[in-house]
Amino acid sequence: MFETEQFIADCRAAFAADRTHKAIHQILARAMSEPAAVLRGLGEPKRAEIGKLFHSDSLTILNVVWAPGMIAMPHNHRMWAVIGIYSGREDNVFWRRIPGEPNRIEAAGARAPCERDAVPLGSDIIHSVINPIDRLSSAIHIYGGDFFAAERSEWDSLTLDEHRFDGEQARRRFEGANARYEARLRAAAG
């Protein structure tokens, strides 16, 4: 059984003992071994969103739901992260800075974590995320810092030039993805 408050307490205790991602990764991997229990504990997602489960200056735990076809542009976190998928899939493209062009990036690899996977990301990782399936994908994202206060970067989807991450623009992307998803549901219903 997955109990949100106990999960948060376990993560906080692990983080207090070891400020790296290692102990948190173990806790998240254990939770992801029973994805149906996590889904029951957090509730069936209805729309794309970033839901706060816990937030402090040093640790952030989010429930992230991606709409079908949703894309998060290349971005960094400037802190370690551990992502655990409990429903669906997240395709990640990993990027690296181009030598001699410090504000531009190029693709460097990819990974497609699926239900039951818990994946650590280092503090210097740049990645983009795509939900490639035709239903909502859900994951717990845990960050070793204040996810909302960190100054982060995002890269333009066309030019791959770096600019400051814009939280308001990200919220609009979620709302646009929700509008497309809800329109698709209405069309399918009839």
Side-chain angles (χ1 to χ4, degrees), residues 12-150:
R12 291 181 70 190
F15 185 73
D18 177 4
R19 296 180 76 82
T20 71
H21 73 278
K22 293 175 184 170
I24 297 281
H25 181 230
Q26 291 176 350
I27 291 167
L28 189 57
R30 192 169 39 250
M32 293 305 109
S33 71
E34 297 183 49
V38 177
L39 188 62
R40 281 190 305 276
L42 293 175
E44 185 74 35
K46 305 289 185 221
R47 60 191 329 260
E49 65 182 351
I50 297 176
K52 289 182 196 176
L53 300 177
F54 177 80
H55 176 231
S56 74
D57 291 344
S58 58
L59 185 67
T60 305
I61 305 172
L62 304 174
N63 182 32
V64 179
V65 181
W66 302 104
M70 190 172 177
I71 300 171
M73 295 298 105
H75 62 278
N76 62 15
H77 301 128
R78 294 197 174 147
M79 63 190 78
W80 60 255
V82 184
I83 313 301
I85 312 297
Y86 65 90
S87 175
R89 191 171 104 203
E90 286 185 14
D91 285 359
N92 284 253
V93 175
F94 297 103
W95 303 83
R96 66 175 164 239
R97 292 183 182 275
I98 298 173
E101 297 183 57
N103 293 329
R104 295 197 61 226
I105 56 173
E106 63 185 0
R111 186 163 182 183
C114 301
E115 190 174 293
R116 297 182 183 271
D117 290 338
V119 179
L121 302 176
S123 60
D124 60 344
I125 292 291
I126 300 168
H127 73 135
S128 53
V129 181
I130 302 165
N131 175 7
I133 63 175
D134 64 353
R135 62 182 174 87
L136 296 171
S137 288
S138 306
I140 294 176
H141 291 214
I142 305 174
Y143 299 92
D146 185 340
F147 177 81
F148 299 101

